[in-house]
Amino acid sequence: QVQLVESGGGLVQAGGSLRLSCAASERTFIMYRMGWFRQAPGKEREFVAAISWSSGRTYYADSVKGRFTISRDNTKNTMYLQMNSLKPEDTAVYSCAADTVNYGMGTYDYWGQGTQVTVSS
């Protein structure tokens, strides 16, 4: 079992920055891809960003391109999401996910509990 623990959420003013972290507890699994998703109240969960664990190739939703940066530290089994120029519409619960099977884009077998990000106007 892989446990994913997010941290770094909070309240920030519009235009501000936050850095989210997602630490994976288990090192014996092969990590193929990790991603960030978010869900705002009354809305469906949406993809934010993903990163290939071996190559470091990154993928972003159009809504966050140029403002968010996803990265990972293989030695710490930890993924990050640097969020800059935050907007009120970025307010959501942000969850990380891991693909340890190599399903391919969009499918993950482990999920974190989520961390709240609130951007005030």
Side-chain angles (χ1 to χ4, degrees):
Q1 285 285 343
V2 177
Q3 287 189 321
L4 303 176
V5 180
E6 301 100 335
S7 61
L11 173 64
V12 65
Q13 287 190 330
S17 299
L18 281 174
R19 188 194 194 205
L20 305 183
S21 299
C22 174
S25 62
E26 181 57 61
R27 291 181 178 272
T28 59
F29 284 83
I30 296 175
M31 197 72 75
Y32 290 97
R33 190 174 296 102
M34 291 190 75
W36 288 99
F37 291 77
R38 66 186 182 187
Q39 186 166 20
K43 295 188 176 181
E44 293 197 355
R45 184 171 64 196
E46 65 172 353
F47 167 77
V48 175
I51 187 165
S52 171
W53 208 248
S54 58
S55 69
R57 183 175 179 179
T58 57
Y59 310 83
Y60 295 95
D62 288 341
S63 59
V64 306
K65 276 181 184 176
R67 300 188 298 122
F68 291 10
T69 302
I70 189 172
S71 62
R72 91 280 194 231
D73 185 334
N74 301 54
T75 63
K76 297 181 180 179
N77 248 24
T78 300
M79 173 180 66
Y80 306 96
L81 186 68
Q82 177 67 42
M83 304 186 294
N84 298 328
S85 302
L86 282 162
K87 306 174 181 179
E89 51 264 44
D90 293 320
T91 296
V93 174
Y94 284 70
S95 299
C96 64
D99 173 7
T100 65
V101 176
N102 200 15
Y103 288 112
M105 283 298 295
T107 303
Y108 297 86
D109 49 331
Y110 292 99
W111 291 83
Q113 293 290 332
T115 184
Q116 177 70 46
V117 171
T118 303
V119 184
S120 63
S121 56

